[in-house]
Amino acid sequence: MVKFLKPNKAVIVLQGRYAGRKAVIVRSFDEGTRDRPYGHCLVAGTKKYPSKVIRKDSAKKTAKKSRVKCFVKLVNYQHLMPTRYTLDVDLKDVVTADALQTKDKKVAACKATKERFQERFKTGKNRWFFTKLRF
Amino acid sequence: MVAAKKTKKTHESINNRLALVMKSGKYTLGYKTVLKSLRSSKGKLIIIANNCPPLRKSEIEYYAMLCKVGVHHYNGNNVDLGTACGKYFRVCCLSIIDPGDSDIIKSMPSDH
């Protein structure tokens, strides 16, 4: 009886090109919109996870290994698996519904989320989110 | 022996309560609608048959855990659960949205 598909919830995408990838809900549209008359949400996720960084890596290598590739997508609730994890990254100003209108806006949104994700990965928090789901 | 007797009695009472819900309350039958009701936080109690595939059972339990909704494992398979609902088809899982006159929600969480 508690709503759990809220912003900052970590989810796993189940269908589509990004199936098996972890994502975070940025904005949820429970009632749907005119174009999408079903419950869906705007998610930002990792297209390519960062590699494992070990202590003896040089600074250049850690920088290379910590790179994250992101995607931004509108996904139906049915194609998501919610988890008990959350990711407190403020993406509301960066990832908006109109960022998906044109390709260059989408690229800009992905670049900004990439930076936020990378700095979060470097702090070592939310380790679950940045590990690849093995299946 | 005492345990067996107790389950039979409570089992009948669950059936009675379910029948009352079917008559007076709102419910949905089936896996897809159960997940829908959990996502929209409309479901109040989930009942799962005992021969539900374990992956599906775990998935429903996980959603219910996120949602803080009770899950009752019905003492019978999907054929029995369908009969208990008064339907002529098999029901693997069902979600009670509005119990109507029944007290199934108040009495079930204590039982489980």
Side-chain angles (χ1 to χ4, degrees):
Chain A
M1 266 189 287
V2 173
K3 267 195 56 54
F4 52 86
L5 286 168
K6 289 205 274 235
N8 291 336
K9 183 64 120 167
V11 296
I12 299 177
V13 180
L14 293 174
Q15 307 275 10
R17 190 155 51 116
Y18 300 115
R21 300 269 187 273
K22 297 181 187 170
V24 63
I25 295 181
V26 177
R27 198 161 158 219
S28 61
F29 305 92
D30 286 332
E31 304 302 319
T33 57
R34 183 91 59 74
D35 308 324
R36 289 171 175 256
Y38 46 80
H40 62 285
C41 54
L42 189 57
V43 296
T46 51
K47 198 168 14 174
K48 196 160 164 202
Y49 293 96
S51 327
K52 209 157 163 85
V53 174
I54 49 179
R55 211 153 63 99
K56 69 179 201 168
D57 285 334
S58 62
K60 198 168 84 163
K61 227 174 177 170
T62 41
K64 194 154 193 204
K65 276 189 178 180
S66 318
R67 282 191 308 197
V68 177
K69 252 193 163 169
C70 298
F71 68 89
V72 169
K73 193 167 166 56
L74 279 170
V75 189
N76 190 347
Y77 281 161
Q78 286 217 3
H79 304 149
L80 292 175
M81 178 72 204
T83 63
R84 61 182 169 92
Y85 299 95
T86 55
L87 186 73
D88 278 321
V89 177
D90 190 21
L91 292 167
K92 269 193 283 288
D93 47 340
V94 160
V95 177
T96 52
D98 65 309
L100 293 163
Q101 308 287 52
T102 59
K103 185 95 190 262
D104 48 340
K105 275 200 224 168
K106 195 171 179 183
V107 167
C110 286
K111 272 213 179 103
T113 57
K114 171 189 159 94
E115 266 155 44
R116 308 246 171 118
F117 278 173
Q118 269 179 214
E119 63 181 66
R120 183 52 68 93
F121 173 66
K122 288 201 175 95
T123 65
K125 291 198 219 141
N126 304 118
R127 202 162 292 199
W128 177 85
F129 186 79
F130 294 107
T131 47
K132 192 166 166 181
L133 187 68
R134 308 281 312 179
F135 59 93
Chain B
M1 279 302 112
V2 177
K5 222 175 167 179
K6 177 184 161 218
T7 48
K8 181 148 188 263
K9 222 186 199 169
T10 51
H11 187 234
E12 282 170 14
S13 75
I14 295 164
N15 286 351
N16 294 341
R17 291 198 177 93
L18 248 187
L20 194 49
V21 171
M22 296 294 134
K23 213 166 30 167
S24 62
K26 287 206 186 59
Y27 57 91
T28 59
L29 309 172
Y31 172 64
K32 268 175 94 170
T33 55
V34 162
L35 288 189
K36 257 194 175 157
S37 72
L38 283 171
R39 274 188 215 114
S40 60
S41 59
K42 286 211 173 69
K44 306 240 177 352
L45 177 69
I46 312 292
I47 300 178
I48 307 182
N50 69 359
N51 67 342
C52 183
L55 183 60
R56 185 182 291 191
K57 182 155 65 168
S58 322
E59 193 180 354
I60 297 177
E61 284 171 352
Y62 194 80
Y63 269 79
M65 175 270 291
L66 288 175
C67 205
K68 300 202 211 316
V69 164
V71 169
H72 181 261
H73 295 97
Y74 186 73
N75 190 10
N77 61 6
N78 48 7
V79 179
D80 301 334
L81 190 49
T83 311
C85 297
K87 307 286 178 194
Y88 291 111
F89 45 80
R90 297 174 284 268
V91 169
C92 194
C93 43
L94 70 99
S95 161
I96 295 175
I97 295 174
D98 175 22
D101 298 327
S102 176
D103 62 344
I104 194 170
I105 301 207
K106 288 181 273 296
S107 57
M108 270 317 113
S110 61
D111 185 5
H112 200 92

